[in-house]
Amino acid sequence: MKLHIQNESEIDKLVDAFLLVSQGEKVTFLYGDLGAGKTTFVKRLVKKLGSTDEASSPTYSLVNEYDITDGILYHIDLYRLNDEQEALEIGIEDYLYSGHYCMVEWPQVIEKLINRAVEIKITTNQDESRSVEIDLVNY
């Protein structure tokens, strides 16, 4: 599915599209440059899924955990990791196979650890709008 988002106020379109495309898949890989809107998407998703927590970027903590209506949502940021081994050392598999939502920013180092995930690719356009592609992918 492809979307065009003019500004931050339209992020809810992305949240709704994700919930439609994901078909219950809990692991999501988020791709996009710094500032593309990956964390903003997760913040809105956390609210949509019933959390009262204020979501924030897990760049330094690596993993933020949010209680949602039907369980837990893990927001994982692998930007500072160099390889799959470092991800394994932080217990990434425990999150990926927990059965809970796992929203993973900068997932390139762990793509081989999962068989299926939703991919969200966010591209910033010259006019500051965003082009988004959402796909359910088998690896």
Side-chain angles (χ1 to χ4, degrees), residues 57-88:
S57 175
T59 300
Y60 297 102
S61 61
L62 297 180
V63 180
N64 288 346
E65 179 179 319
Y66 302 103
D67 291 321
I68 58 173
T69 302
D70 294 329
I72 297 171
L73 183 145
Y74 296 111
H75 184 191
I76 304 167
D77 188 327
L78 302 178
Y79 182 75
R80 296 183 307 132
L81 299 189
N82 294 311
D83 57 36
E84 183 179 291
Q85 185 59 40
E86 284 185 307
L88 292 169

Side-chain angles (χ1 to χ4, degrees), residues 5 7-8 11 30-41 57 59 77 79 105-106 122-125 128-132:
I5 297 175
N7 53 52
E8 189 174 327
I11 292 290
L30 301 164
Y31 298 91
D33 291 334
L34 290 170
K38 299 178 298 292
T39 296
T40 301
F41 160 71
S57 175
T59 300
D77 188 327
Y79 182 75
E105 295 188 37
W106 308 101
I122 305 172
T123 304
T124 304
N125 302 315
E128 296 302 314
S129 68
R130 305 298 194 261
S131 296
V132 182

Side-chain angles (χ1 to χ4, degrees), residues 10-23:
E10 294 185 348
I11 292 290
D12 289 332
K13 288 187 344 185
L14 174 53
V15 170
D16 292 339
F18 161 75
L19 292 171
L20 180 68
V21 170
S22 66
Q23 301 175 19

